[in-house]
Amino acid sequence: MSAVEEGPRRGLAAETCFVELAFLLPGVAAAVDVLVAHLGGVSDISRFPTVVPGHPVENLVLGILSYLAVGAVVPLALLLLARTGQGPAELGLRVPRWREDVWPAIGIIVGGFGLTLLVALPFSVLLAHHSGLFGQLPTGHVPKYYIIYGLAISAITAITEETLVSGYLLTRLEQLGWTPRWALLLSLTLRTSYHVYYGLGFLFTIPVGYLQKHRGLTRPIIAHFLYDAILLTISILAS
């Protein structure tokens, strides 16, 4: 894919900024809110929203419906890419194949867990004595069928983040003449920005984000989904 000429370049640059801001601002704002609440000692933060107190099934359904808003920018990004010739086939969006997509995705998450553990080792003392530096969203005590919620938000998150960060952004940066190294660095920076509620734990997202770089979108989407789904399922079952 070649870089575009100077005239269309300005339009693509403005479009890219708009799409990424529309995607990032709500997530970053929510992450900052959670981080500030965590540092302020608020203990009742939960990953699962309570819209109707005392009605877990209704909360599950309403929580999934409200979380769909996270992916609202995805259709716009795909439409804009299609208008410049990057349709689903060009982006590598297809029905998953075991050899090309699923097995490599499993390899990515195994490598991601391994690298995350390696990154965590130097911070083991901080984790033991300064746990407040590493924020998280607890699941609380929820019914086991909330695994459905975990799978749903894992799928929405994976499709949204990989389409907008690995697909749309990297495609546009290539058209704007960015080198692969700088484009990947920016994508990793943006990817970690909406994980600031982890505190220093945002560092653990970098290895996984790096391994998920891939020209086709199907493989990183599956890898991202499996990674999040495994963690959420374990959290729900352990609750």
Side-chain angles (χ1 to χ4, degrees):
M1 187 186 304
S2 58
V4 296
E5 298 178 358
E6 186 63 29
R9 180 188 176 93
R10 295 194 187 94
L12 280 183
E15 174 205 292
T16 304
C17 291
F18 172 80
V19 170
E20 293 302 320
L21 285 175
F23 161 58
L24 287 169
L25 282 180
V28 172
V32 171
D33 284 345
V34 172
L35 177 62
V36 171
H38 172 76
L39 295 177
V42 178
S43 59
D44 59 349
I45 306 172
S46 175
R47 185 179 294 273
F48 303 120
T50 302
V51 183
V52 186
H55 296 272
V57 175
E58 288 86 342
N59 286 326
L60 185 151
V61 174
L62 292 174
I64 293 175
L65 289 176
S66 64
Y67 199 79
L68 285 172
V70 171
V73 188
V74 171
L76 172 63
L78 292 176
L79 174 62
L80 291 171
L81 286 172
R83 288 171 64 88
T84 55
Q86 292 78 47
E90 178 76 13
L91 296 172
L93 281 172
R94 63 190 181 201
V95 176
R97 303 169 183 170
W98 279 98
R99 177 175 293 182
E100 292 88 350
D101 301 310
V102 179
W103 286 117
I106 293 174
I108 289 173
I109 63 172
V110 171
F113 280 122
L115 284 177
T116 300
L117 288 175
L118 288 177
V119 172
L121 285 177
F123 295 95
S124 57
V125 176
L126 283 175
L127 282 168
H129 300 286
H130 303 281
S131 59
L133 296 175
F134 297 84
Q136 59 178 341
L137 285 180
T139 58
H141 299 289
V142 294
K144 297 298 183 283
Y145 58 77
Y146 263 59
I147 290 174
I148 298 171
Y149 182 92
L151 295 176
I153 65 173
S154 295
I156 295 168
T157 301
I159 293 170
T160 302
E161 290 188 18
E162 299 309 323
T163 300
L164 293 171
V165 179
S166 297
Y168 175 85
L169 179 63
L170 292 182
T171 298
R172 286 295 188 244
L173 291 179
E174 183 178 350
Q175 291 175 316
L176 293 171
W178 284 53
T179 63
R181 177 179 298 178
W182 284 106
L184 177 61
L185 179 61
L186 177 61
S187 71
L188 287 175
T189 302
L190 295 182
R191 188 187 292 270
T192 58
S193 67
Y194 45 85
H195 291 104
V196 294
Y197 62 87
Y198 288 160
L200 287 180
F202 82 88
L203 295 170
F204 304 155
T205 68
I206 297 176
V208 181
Y210 178 79
L211 289 177
Q212 286 172 213
K213 68 185 191 302
H214 189 261
R215 182 63 181 175
L217 278 180
T218 302
R219 184 184 301 179
I221 286 175
I222 294 174
H224 194 150
F225 165 74
L226 291 175
Y227 189 89
D228 287 357
I230 289 171
L231 291 178
L232 282 173
T233 298
I234 292 173
S235 297
I236 292 169
L237 293 177
S239 72

